[in-house]
Amino acid sequence: MPKWSALVAVSIGTFMLLVDVTIVTVALPAVSRDLGVTIGGLQWVLDGYALALAAVLLASGSLADRHGRRRVYLGGTVVFAAASLLCAVAPNAGLLVAARFLQGLGGAAMLATTVAILSVAYTGRDRGVAFGVWGAVNGAAAAAGPIAGGLLTEHLGWRWIFIVNLPVSLLAVWFTLRGVTESHGRSGTGNRLDVAGIVTFTLSATAVTFALIRGGDAGWTAPSTLAALAVAAVALAAFVVVERRTEHPMLDLRLFAKPSFSALMAASVLAQASAFASLPFTTVWLQQFMGKGPVDAGLLGALPMSAASFLVGAFGGRFLQRVSPRWSIGAGLLLIGAGALLQARLTPASPATALIPGLVVVGLGVAAVLPTMASAALAAVPPERSGMAGGAVNTFRQLGFALGVAVFGSIFAHRLAGHHAPTDAVNHVVAVAGFTGLAAAVLVLLVVRTGRPARPAPRPAPEPAVSEAV
């Protein structure tokens, strides 16, 4: 069995997941034109994936521990590939959103098992090399996604952004079968699947997202909006009851008794929304109102942030790990907020390049926040809950992206419906994103008291910025 087959298998799958996120963002205007999708529909194309990922990410880890990481990773890859094919042939927005939700389920199974697979496959220096290569692949995917998405959309059509997942999935499956050995978590019932928790969490998150999107279209007092909010509240209450009573909860709510952990989870939601949820709407502005093609939109709308974050992570990551998370996360969030506000200065005469300085500043902040957030959460909980804490960070990040897209989409659509200039609509979106980042910074600086975490053995390489938007 070749030594690095497991690393190749995991890296190919991760690369596919990350490229898929940025490709979809760049292709949204083309999807809208081809399928006649409204802004609300475009929000669901993004949120269907993010909600599914958030809903089952924690549970996927338990499922993999119980039934085998290799088996779950393979199953997730197959589901992701099948969903990609459905996305590629979708004749309408409804099927496309459903297929994106299915993609999220497959992606969650893959994402939840990658670290465990690498940890089992490698030891000592090889393990450090494996995680370093894996992190570099993540960064390359984040940078390549906008360009690849633009090229495919502009020259072949948006459906090809999903078709390319099929041969990549086959490669991932082949290397997994060839080089990944099966492994399990601790035996017993501790890794039992919390089905009730998954259902109530998914229902609550989906209902509140629907309410946010619907409120922007039909009004906040519309019966459908109020009904969705009521369903969200009831489902959330049921989730709390279920998690407090079950013997093996998907998310142990007692962790939120620690102020630092609660603040970090809230900051995860706000950081993801502030940094990434406005990107789809700046991309729409670049293509539909500035006349840029998908390639130019990818280069101007996502690459500056990805490149800045990747460079800081590569050359300053070691320094950031020596700083208290309170200060590195707090300062990073200040940069994210400031970078978003820097973009909120567009005028009808502004060139498309006007977004670049703000995107670079956001990228600098993201490089400080995202790699540190997980380690800070681990330091805030008992060691036996470290896996749950790490999964919770990723879950709340995806939830923040989904809610952010819903809120910003409502703002964007409302400004356009009020006959405001497109630049005004974008300015409002990125301004709200900026104040969201600043609020998260204040929260972290005031509440988080976690010191530098002890060095795990081993710890994965920091994940680059745009990868967290998956």
Side-chain angles (χ1 to χ4, degrees):
M1 181 182 299
K3 178 179 180 180
W4 298 110
S5 291
L7 174 61
V8 173
V10 167
S11 296
I12 289 174
T14 303
F15 186 88
M16 175 176 62
L17 291 169
L18 304 189
V19 168
D20 192 73
V21 172
T22 49
I23 279 179
V24 170
T25 300
V26 174
L28 288 178
V31 174
S32 177
R33 290 192 300 269
D34 192 17
L35 299 183
V37 184
T38 63
I39 289 178
L42 294 179
Q43 291 170 262
W44 279 112
V45 172
L46 294 169
D47 280 354
Y49 184 89
L51 286 172
L53 198 63
V56 301
L57 190 58
L58 277 170
S60 294
S62 297
L63 190 67
D65 287 342
R66 185 178 182 86
H67 297 287
R69 282 81 173 252
R70 178 177 182 262
R71 180 179 299 173
V72 170
Y73 183 79
L74 281 171
T77 305
V78 172
V79 170
F80 190 91
S84 296
L85 180 59
L86 289 177
C87 288
V89 300
N92 53 58
L95 184 55
L96 179 59
V97 171
R100 286 287 287 165
F101 191 90
L102 187 61
Q103 267 192 320
L105 298 181
M110 298 172 69
L111 187 60
T113 53
T114 51
V115 171
I117 288 174
L118 292 180
S119 296
V120 170
Y122 304 105
T123 58
R125 170 172 279 183
D126 287 347
R127 183 178 285 172
V129 171
F131 278 117
V133 171
W134 181 63
V137 168
N138 289 358
I147 300 173
L151 289 170
L152 288 170
T153 302
E154 193 164 317
H155 298 292
L156 295 176
W158 66 265
R159 296 181 187 275
W160 280 88
I161 68 175
F162 300 110
I163 294 174
V164 297
N165 289 335
L166 301 181
V168 178
S169 297
L170 288 176
L171 278 176
V173 168
W174 188 78
F175 276 103
T176 302
L177 293 173
R178 186 170 181 241
V180 177
T181 57
E182 189 59 277
S183 62
H184 297 77
R186 291 179 298 173
S187 59
T189 59
N191 50 15
R192 182 177 299 161
L193 196 61
D194 180 12
V195 176
I198 296 172
V199 171
T200 51
F201 180 85
T202 304
L203 181 59
S204 179
T206 303
V208 73
T209 303
F210 176 85
L212 292 171
I213 295 175
R214 185 62 178 167
D217 291 336
W220 297 105
T221 58
S224 56
T225 304
L226 296 177
L229 289 172
V231 170
V234 172
L236 179 60
F239 174 75
V240 172
V241 172
V242 167
E243 297 306 281
R244 293 184 65 178
R245 291 186 177 182
T246 186
E247 186 177 355
H248 303 290
M250 179 179 78
L251 181 60
D252 188 348
L253 300 183
R254 291 174 296 181
L255 297 177
F256 290 91
K258 299 178 179 294
S260 290
F261 183 81
S262 295
L264 289 168
M265 293 303 103
S268 295
V269 173
L270 298 176
Q272 197 77 2
S274 179
F276 300 111
S278 63
L279 292 179
F281 308 103
T282 56
T283 298
V284 169
W285 175 73
L286 285 168
Q287 294 190 54
Q288 292 190 347
F289 302 111
M290 296 298 291
K292 298 298 180 182
V295 175
D296 289 339
L299 290 172
L300 294 169
L303 190 58
M305 184 173 71
S306 300
S309 180
F310 178 69
L311 290 174
V312 172
F315 296 104
R318 182 169 297 183
F319 168 77
L320 289 172
Q321 294 304 317
R322 295 198 294 264
V323 180
S324 169
R326 176 190 180 191
W327 299 112
S328 59
I329 295 174
L333 287 167
L334 288 174
L335 286 173
I336 290 174
L341 291 175
L342 191 59
Q343 298 172 63
R345 303 184 305 162
L346 300 174
T347 68
S350 294
T353 55
L355 294 171
I356 292 179
L359 288 169
V360 170
V361 175
V362 171
L364 298 178
V366 164
V369 172
L370 297 189
T372 314
M373 190 80 76
S375 60
L378 299 186
V381 302
E384 64 272 14
R385 289 301 194 192
S386 59
M388 180 178 289
V393 170
N394 286 326
T395 295
F396 279 89
R397 284 174 181 170
Q398 310 316 318
L399 188 60
F401 180 74
L403 296 178
V405 167
V407 171
F408 298 158
S410 295
I411 294 172
F412 190 76
H414 177 73
R415 301 302 294 184
L416 292 181
H419 304 290
H420 293 270
T423 51
D424 175 77
V426 174
N427 282 337
H428 274 74
V429 166
V430 290
V432 173
F435 287 119
T436 300
L438 296 180
V442 172
L443 177 65
V444 168
L445 292 172
L446 290 179
V447 178
V448 173
R449 290 294 182 269
T450 302
R452 274 189 304 161
R455 292 186 63 177
R459 194 169 85 200
E463 297 179 38
V466 175
S467 68
E468 302 300 333
V470 178

